[in-house]
């Protein structure tokens, strides 16, 4: 049996591949509830959440695929998934 050669991804290509266009839902922060615990940054599979100047977390929407993990895991309900409008 012959196996097909799988796809080869060059290192660093995910930076060029902006996955935000796949999104149906978009996470939005309600900062008044945020305790700055950092879980959203830690658990985001795209690493597109980063701490901003005031200590609150921000999303780089170019790479957010809208999976909703951040909203699901946030202990204070700070993040709401809303329908993406394009
Ligand atoms: S997980 Fe929720 S409470 Fe914690 S930093 Fe993120 S948005 Fe704020
Ligand atoms: S929706 Fe998913 S990809 Fe987007 S910021 Fe939250 S955890 Fe990351």
């Amino acid at each position: 049996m012959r196996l097909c050669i799988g796809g080869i991804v060059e290192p660093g290509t995910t930076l060029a591949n902006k996955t935000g266009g796949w999104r149906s839902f978009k996470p939005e922060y309600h900062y008044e509830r945020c305790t700055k615990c950092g879980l959203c940054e830690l658990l985001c599979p795209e690493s597109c959440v980063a701490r901003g100047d005031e200590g609150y977390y921000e999303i780089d929407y170019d790479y957010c695929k809208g999976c909703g993990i951040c909203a699901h895991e946030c202990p204070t309900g700070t993040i709401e998934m809303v329908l993406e409008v394009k």
Side-chain angles (χ1 to χ4, degrees):
M1 185 173 99
R2 289 178 60 107
L3 295 177
C4 296
I5 298 173
I8 298 173
V9 178
E10 299 289 336
T13 52
T14 50
L15 284 175
N17 184 20
K18 295 186 176 177
T19 51
W22 302 354
R23 224 176 23 239
S24 309
F25 285 86
K26 174 181 183 178
E28 285 187 357
Y29 283 79
H30 299 283
Y31 286 119
E32 68 277 8
R33 301 181 201 158
C34 180
T35 59
K36 305 178 182 176
C37 71
L39 261 185
C40 49
E41 179 188 33
L42 187 69
L43 298 177
C44 173
E46 298 299 309
S47 296
C48 64
V49 179
R51 194 169 188 187
D53 292 338
E54 303 286 321
Y56 290 104
Y57 288 83
E58 297 168 354
I59 295 168
D60 184 339
Y61 287 109
D62 280 345
Y63 300 99
C64 168
K65 62 186 177 186
C67 67
I69 290 174
C70 55
H72 188 266
E73 298 301 326
C74 172
T76 61
T78 297
I79 307 170
E80 179 185 12
M81 298 302 291
V82 300
L83 195 62
E84 176 75 66
V85 179
K86 295 188 178 173

